[in-house]
């Protein structure tokens, strides 16, 4: 414990030296603190010596740091509202220097956290390191596990593209299975019955302020408890032999941890560079065909839920998962024998293994289903193609004012949308203005749809009035189809 005294504030401050402290003295005094700090941080004794099996915890700390830093860069551009979120993420992805890279590191980082977390938990489980005085350490770890899942769930919505919107719709709907308070909980999380800007700002606050605050608190508790309990060491061995092979944290374990961090950096960097994370088209709540899919690590749970949608929903969606989670959290209290060797703990090891195999199987079933089911496979392929098409399109800034009217018309009415293209190709904007509000050469066209009916529009386009001809407007020469679309566009300008 003595070596930890600096960290844990047990050190008694010495009375200040009688002599007038000079710069040199202060420097030395300062160094003394650094030394004792380094001693406390680096000289932790590891029974049985350093091991590659112990790298996952520090790997998670590294990933957390990486998420905080990349997240801060993303927040520089992101706007959490239903009308701007998608455009700002598109801007990050398509325009900002290294924006796509940073965003990819952040998105892949969340997957990496899940993987390393599972490795960390599995190592802890197999080594029986949750036993004895480490019970509370395990509980703090479970809290961190839940918080991490909360982070990935809230983060998934933020880009506000189709998959974000529809996956989160499904995710928040699960809450309604909770008896009595389910619907209220769902409304609380969504900020209303529907998903919109209020949902997005709630998820943003959770993702950027609330959950991270809890994560920092629990990481501090977790690390503090770990330092108090000390490393568990190997699962077997004579106490005397372990003492013999005990090593300090520095240098060997530090080196192992660094190697692991470098592997993580290289892995994330390569993925982000060669397979940057995509963004799909903006969420369209009116789309009734969309087949939602969550992030890969939620797929097994997603598949599981499908089996329970009718009938015994409460049992499958709430009771069984809650029971498994409880079993997991209560593990150190259920399994109290000091035995740590996994081969001597067949029951708990088999249950643990079974849960993971079951999750893997559910994931595989879901994947097979998606590839083969004729009712969804074509839709999933179409969604894939939509994402690719959106990624190829250059960034389109948001339009403001009357041109927003044009954009909205184009979005809500596909025929008018085609007409807008004809309007742009024919150079109508040269006189009537990019934003349709008119120029010195011609009046505004906003409201023309109210003023004139389609037949009138057709006739004046084919045979412009004198005033129009005087203003330089020539008769349009278009095929039937284009003319029809152009008129639909003008009609929609109300
Ligand atoms: C060279 C300039 C010019 C171009 C290019 C031009 N217009 Fe015009 N347009 C005018 C002028 C000037 C008027 C208004 C004449 C008046 O009523 O005083 C007008 C009027 C109109 C009107 C009638 C507006 C109303 O309130 O009745 C429509 C509709 C119209 N233009 C559509 C188009 C379309 C569609 C195109 C592209 C195919 C186009 N214009 C291209 C100059 C132009």
């Amino acid at each position: 414990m003595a070596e930890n005294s600096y960290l844990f504030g047990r050190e008694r401050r010495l009375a200040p030296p009688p002599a007038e402290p000079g710069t040199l003295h202060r420097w030395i005094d300062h160094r003394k603190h650094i030394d004792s700090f380094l001693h406390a941080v680096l000289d932790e004794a590891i029974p049985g010596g350093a091991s590659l099996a112990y790298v996952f915890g520090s790997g998670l700390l590294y990933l957390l740091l990486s998420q905080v830093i990349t997240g801060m860069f993303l927040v520089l551009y992101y706007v959490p509202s239903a009308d701007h979120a998608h455009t700002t993420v598109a801007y990050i992805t398509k325009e900002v220097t290294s924006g796509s890279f940073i965003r990819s590191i952040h998105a892949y980082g969340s997957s990496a956290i899940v993987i390393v977390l599972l490795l960390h938990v599995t190592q802890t489980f197999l080594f029986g390191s949750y036993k004895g005085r480490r019970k509370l350490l395990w509980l703090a770890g479970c809290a961190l596990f839940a918080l991490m899942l909360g982070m990935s769930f809230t983060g998934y919505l933020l880009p506000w593209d189709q998959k974000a919107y529809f996956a989160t719709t499904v995710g928040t709907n699960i809450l309604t299975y909770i008896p009595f308070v389910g619907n209220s909980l769902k409304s609380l999380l969504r900020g209303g019955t529907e998903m919109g800007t209020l949902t997005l700002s709630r998820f943003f606050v959770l993702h950027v302020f609330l959950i991270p605050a809890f994560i920092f608190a629990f990481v501090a508790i977790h690390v503090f408890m770990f330092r108090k309990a000390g490393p568990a060491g190997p699962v077997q061995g004579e106490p005397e032999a372990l003492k013999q092979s005990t090593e300090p944290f520095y240098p060997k374990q530090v080196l192992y941890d660094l190697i692991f961090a470098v592997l993580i950096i290289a892995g994330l960097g390569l993925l982000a560079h060669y397979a940057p994370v995509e963004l799909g088209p903006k969420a369209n709540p009116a789309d009734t065909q969309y087949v939602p899919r969550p992030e890969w690590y939620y797929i097994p749970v997603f598949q599981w839920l499908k089996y329970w949608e009718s009938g015994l929903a409460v049992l499958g969606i709430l009771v069984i998962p809650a029971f498994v989670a409880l079993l997991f959290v209560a593990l150190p209290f259920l399994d109290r024998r000091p035995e740590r060797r996994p081969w001597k703990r067949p029951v708990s090891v088999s249950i643990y293994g079974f849960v993971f195999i079951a999750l893997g199987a559910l994931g595989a079933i879901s994947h097979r289903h998606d590839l083969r089911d004729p009712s969804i496979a074509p839709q999933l392929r179409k969604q894939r193609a939509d994402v690719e098409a959106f990624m190829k399109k250059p960034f389109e800034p948001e339009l403001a004012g009357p041109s927003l009217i044009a954009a909205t018309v184009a979005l809500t009415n596909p025929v008018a949308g085609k007409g807008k293209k004809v309007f742009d190709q024919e150079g109508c904007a040269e006189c009537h203005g990019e934003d349709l509000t008119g120029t010195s050469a011609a009046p505004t066209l906003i409201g023309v749809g109210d003023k004139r009916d389609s037949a009138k529009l057709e006739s004046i386009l084919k045979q412009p009035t004198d005033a129009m001809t005087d203003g330089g407007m020539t008769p349009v020469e278009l095929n039937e189809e284009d003319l029809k679309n152009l008129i639909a566009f003008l009609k929609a300008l109300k």
Side-chain angles (χ1 to χ4, degrees):
M1 217 55 243
E3 74 269 19
N4 293 338
S5 58
Y6 181 85
L7 264 190
F8 301 139
R10 298 238 179 102
E11 185 189 55
R12 290 237 186 88
R13 294 265 162 167
L14 295 174
E20 182 68 13
T23 322
L24 181 66
H25 171 84
R26 276 208 300 272
W27 186 78
I28 293 172
D29 186 54
H30 193 59
R31 273 202 52 91
K32 218 167 64 196
H33 281 287
I34 292 178
D35 284 348
S36 55
F37 177 73
L38 286 179
H39 177 67
V41 172
L42 296 175
D43 292 345
E44 164 95 294
I46 305 174
S51 164
L52 282 174
Y54 307 150
V55 298
F56 304 122
S58 74
L60 283 168
L61 274 180
Y62 169 73
L63 279 166
L64 185 65
L65 186 71
S66 163
Q67 293 302 92
V68 169
I69 294 171
T70 49
M72 269 182 334
F73 279 107
L74 295 175
V75 172
L76 289 180
Y77 293 93
Y78 182 74
V79 175
S81 89
D83 21 348
H84 302 310
H86 184 263
T87 316
T88 54
V89 177
Y91 186 70
I92 292 170
T93 311
K94 295 179 178 179
E95 293 287 318
V96 176
T97 312
S98 301
S100 169
F101 186 77
I102 302 262
R103 174 168 172 248
S104 301
I105 296 273
H106 194 76
Y108 283 128
S110 79
S111 289
I113 287 184
V114 173
I115 296 172
V116 179
L117 192 57
L118 291 181
L119 290 170
H120 185 57
V121 172
T122 305
Q123 189 267 330
T124 305
F125 177 79
L126 289 179
F127 276 57
S129 324
Y130 54 85
K131 290 171 179 251
R133 357 174 232 167
R134 292 188 186 73
K135 285 192 191 73
L136 289 178
L137 186 55
W138 173 266
L139 288 186
C142 289
L144 281 169
F145 198 137
L147 290 167
M148 290 294 181
L149 292 179
M151 281 304 268
S152 64
F153 182 67
T154 49
Y156 202 63
L157 178 68
L158 300 184
W160 202 251
D161 58 358
Q162 289 273 78
K163 76 170 186 176
Y165 180 88
F166 285 102
T168 308
T169 306
V170 175
T172 46
N173 267 335
I174 294 172
L175 289 173
T176 53
Y177 289 102
I178 301 176
F180 310 118
V181 291
N183 277 310
S184 317
L185 275 181
K186 185 174 100 172
S187 304
L188 180 70
L189 193 60
R190 286 190 180 177
T193 47
E194 298 305 316
M195 303 239 303
T197 293
L198 285 180
T199 321
L200 207 45
S201 46
R202 276 165 204 223
F203 273 54
F204 182 72
V205 168
L206 284 170
H207 191 78
V208 175
F209 299 106
L210 208 57
I211 305 181
F214 278 105
I215 287 184
F216 286 130
F218 275 99
V219 165
I221 294 171
H222 195 66
V223 172
F224 175 81
M225 285 176 170
F226 170 70
R227 292 302 304 261
K228 275 212 107 130
V235 291
Q236 59 177 353
E238 294 302 315
E240 264 316 298
L242 285 183
K243 226 181 211 157
Q244 289 278 305
S245 56
T246 292
E247 270 182 321
F249 179 61
Y250 178 86
K252 218 162 150 196
Q253 190 63 47
V254 171
L255 182 71
Y256 286 163
D257 288 2
L258 279 179
I259 291 174
F260 188 57
V262 169
L263 283 179
I264 292 174
I265 294 172
L268 289 182
L270 287 173
L271 271 174
H273 184 77
Y274 289 105
V277 170
E278 290 169 320
L279 178 71
K282 182 174 172 174
N284 173 12
D287 187 341
T288 51
Q289 303 298 307
Y290 198 86
V291 177
R293 286 290 169 270
E295 191 70 303
W296 64 268
Y297 39 81
Y298 279 121
I299 295 255
V301 181
F302 193 75
Q303 179 68 23
W304 168 263
L305 297 181
K306 279 195 216 158
Y307 298 123
W308 300 90
E309 263 154 11
S310 54
L312 297 166
V314 178
L315 182 67
I317 295 177
L318 288 179
V319 179
I320 297 178
F323 178 72
V324 173
L326 199 70
L327 207 64
F328 183 77
V329 173
L331 184 66
F333 303 95
L334 300 173
D335 171 19
R336 307 170 71 117
R337 293 177 308 146
E339 176 61 73
R340 288 182 52 211
R341 290 168 292 181
W343 55 92
K344 298 274 184 192
R345 296 152 46 214
V347 177
S348 60
V349 172
S350 328
I351 296 177
Y352 190 88
F354 171 77
V355 169
F356 271 84
I357 291 170
L359 288 176
L362 283 169
I365 293 171
S366 166
H367 185 66
R368 224 176 84 110
H369 200 67
D370 283 355
L371 288 180
R372 301 207 179 160
D373 187 335
S375 65
I376 53 169
Q379 173 64 18
L380 286 173
R381 277 200 297 278
K382 177 185 170 290
Q383 289 171 199
R384 191 80 275 273
D386 287 347
V387 171
E388 272 159 29
F390 179 80
M391 287 304 291
K392 286 210 184 84
K393 273 205 308 200
F395 173 70
E396 282 171 20
E398 262 170 27
L399 307 160
S403 46
L404 189 62
I405 298 175
T408 322
V409 163
L411 266 181
T412 49
N413 178 340
V415 182
K418 285 189 195 140
K420 164 99 170 62
K421 287 213 184 81
V422 179
F423 185 86
D424 292 338
Q425 280 157 12
E426 291 297 312
C428 312
E430 272 169 43
C431 295
H432 290 286
E434 238 17 291
D435 55 3
L436 301 159
T437 51
T439 64
S440 53
T444 177
L445 288 180
I446 289 172
V448 74
D450 282 327
K451 238 169 35 180
R452 315 240 178 266
D453 60 27
S454 302
K456 179 71 183 167
L457 282 172
E458 182 171 355
S459 81
I460 58 171
L461 285 177
K462 283 183 172 160
Q463 281 177 328
T465 61
D466 288 348
M468 289 158 82
T469 319
D470 288 347
M473 188 168 156
T474 49
V476 293
E477 286 175 73
L478 292 167
N479 62 36
E480 283 264 308
E481 174 85 12
D482 283 353
L483 185 64
K484 202 185 92 219
N485 294 341
L486 179 61
I487 290 171
F489 173 61
L490 294 173
K491 271 309 282 177
L493 293 175
K494 301 205 189 243

